[in-house]
Amino acid sequence: MKKLSMLISAALLSSTASMATHAQDTMAIVLSTLNNPFFVTMKDGAEAKAQELGYDLIVLDSQNDPSKELSNVEDLTVRGVKAILINPTDSTAVSNAIRIANRSNIPVLTLDRGAARGDVVSHIASDNVAGGEMAGRYIQEKVGETAKVIQLEGIAGTSAARERGEGFMNTVNNSDMELLASQPADFDRTKGLNVMENMLAANPDVQAVFAQNDEMALGALRAVQASGKDVLIVGFDGTDDGIAAVKRGKLGATIAQQPDMIGAIGVETAAKVLKGENVEASIPVPLKVITQE
C-alpha cells in the first residue's frame, strides 16, 4: 500500500511538473482576422516556427473587432501564456489590450501593424512606407509620369494603411502623377469592388489604381473588368490569390510581403525574449515587387 501511495505521489508530481512545463512553453498569437488569406499565412508561419522551437501556440481571431481583441488578451492573461504576439485591429485601440498584458508582465510583440501606446518589446513588419513608394514607382514606369491614379485605402487607424498611403503619396507628390481620388475599402475584397465601381463612374479617365492590399485589388479588378476599361492595378501583400492574378496578367503587380516570415520571426523573437535575450525594437521583413515577367 505504501509503495502504491509513493507511485501515486510520484505520478502527481510528474503531472504537476509537466503542466508547469507546458504553461511555460505556451505563447499566443492574436490576429486581427482569419477571414483574410494574408493573416492565415501569417498564422501558418507562426505555428510552424512554434512547433520547430518546441512551443505551444494558442491562436485567437479578433474578427476585426477591437472589443473582441481586448477580451482575447484578457483571456490569455488568465490562461497564463508567457508571451503574446498581436496583429492589431487598430493601432490606437489595441493600446488598451497591450496595457492589460503589460500589467500581467507578459511581453507583447506586434506583427504587421504597430501600436500607438503600450509597452511593446518588438515590432515585426515590412517597411510599409517603402512598399507604397515601390507601388507608385511601378505605376510611373508602366503608365508614365503623368498617370491619373486612384488609391483604395485600408482600415483607417491601422499603421499599415497609414504607412502604405504615406509611401504612395511620397511618390505621387514628387512627380507629375495626378491623384483623382482616394477612399477606404477596409482591406476587404467586396468593399474594394463596391468602392471601385463608384470611383470608376466618378473618374472615367483613371489609368491606374493602387490598392493597399491584394484583397481590395482583386475587388477593384472585378469592377474594372465589368467596366471594360483598361486600368493598371497594383496590390500589396503578395497573397496567393494576388500573385496568381498577377501571373495571369490580371493585376499589374503586387508588393509582396512575406506573412509567413512575419509570423515565424515573431515566434522566434518571442522565444529570445523568454530566454532573456535582447531583441531589436523593430525588425523589418523584406519586400519585393512581383510582376508577370
Side-chain angles (χ1 to χ4, degrees):
M1 190 71 180
K2 185 176 180 182
K3 185 176 180 180
L4 177 61
S5 178
M6 289 174 66
L7 286 170
I8 292 171
S9 296
L12 287 170
L13 283 170
S14 175
S15 174
T16 302
S18 175
M19 287 173 67
T21 302
H22 179 79
Q24 190 174 16
D25 290 341
T26 300
M27 58 179 72
I29 182 168
V30 182
L31 294 156
S32 58
T33 178
L34 284 174
N35 192 30
N36 182 321
F38 180 80
F39 298 116
V40 173
T41 304
M42 186 184 294
K43 171 189 74 73
D44 292 344
E47 287 178 327
K49 181 57 70 172
Q51 184 175 18
E52 176 190 327
L53 297 179
Y55 286 89
D56 288 328
L57 184 69
I58 297 170
V59 178
L60 296 178
D61 179 1
S62 299
Q63 300 167 6
N64 278 329
D65 181 354
S67 62
K68 175 68 173 171
E69 179 177 71
L70 184 66
S71 65
N72 279 339
V73 173
E74 287 174 334
D75 177 53
L76 292 171
T77 61
V78 173
R79 294 168 75 169
V81 300
K82 300 304 178 185
I84 296 175
L85 311 171
I86 190 161
N87 160 241
T89 59
D90 179 283
S91 297
T92 300
V94 75
S95 302
N96 294 324
I98 290 173
R99 285 166 174 161
I100 287 173
N102 292 161
R103 287 196 292 270
S104 297
N105 296 315
I106 300 172
V108 177
L109 300 87
T110 50
L111 307 179
D112 184 52
R113 301 169 182 168
R117 290 180 295 277
D119 183 14
V120 174
V121 296
S122 189
H123 175 57
I124 298 97
S126 305
D127 186 338
N128 284 307
V129 175
E133 291 172 348
M134 291 162 71
R137 286 196 299 270
Y138 181 82
I139 289 172
Q140 279 182 306
E141 290 169 10
K142 295 299 177 182
V143 181
E145 286 285 335
T146 59
K148 296 180 178 181
V149 299
I150 280 174
Q151 179 177 216
L152 292 179
E153 304 165 23
I155 298 172
T158 61
S159 59
R162 183 177 63 252
E163 291 164 5
R164 293 173 192 184
E166 177 187 340
F168 182 65
M169 291 308 300
N170 285 346
T171 305
V172 171
N173 293 332
N174 288 300
S175 71
D176 292 322
M177 294 169 69
E178 181 184 354
L179 182 69
L180 300 177
S182 184
Q183 290 183 24
D186 297 345
F187 292 133
D188 182 82
R189 191 179 302 199
T190 301
K191 290 182 181 178
L193 166 63
N194 295 336
V195 171
M196 193 66 218
E197 284 177 338
N198 294 331
M199 294 175 88
L200 281 170
N203 303 279
D205 55 345
V206 62
Q207 296 172 290
V209 175
F210 169 51
Q212 291 180 357
N213 81 338
D214 285 345
E215 287 295 286
M216 293 188 297
L218 292 166
L221 174 62
R222 287 178 56 194
V224 168
Q225 288 174 329
S227 74
K229 294 180 181 295
D230 181 18
V231 178
L232 176 73
I233 302 172
V234 178
F236 199 122
D237 280 343
T239 62
D240 289 344
D241 285 353
I243 292 171
V246 169
K247 296 306 180 184
R248 293 197 308 270
K250 303 300 183 182
L251 294 183
T254 179
I255 309 303
Q257 295 198 83
Q258 302 183 68
D260 55 338
M261 189 180 292
I262 293 174
I265 292 174
V267 169
E268 199 169 50
T269 307
K272 290 179 180 178
V273 171
L274 295 180
K275 292 174 184 175
E277 298 178 24
N278 292 325
V279 299
E280 295 292 328
S282 180
I283 300 175
V285 179
L287 288 166
K288 55 185 177 180
V289 181
I290 293 183
T291 63
Q292 189 178 21
E293 295 82 18

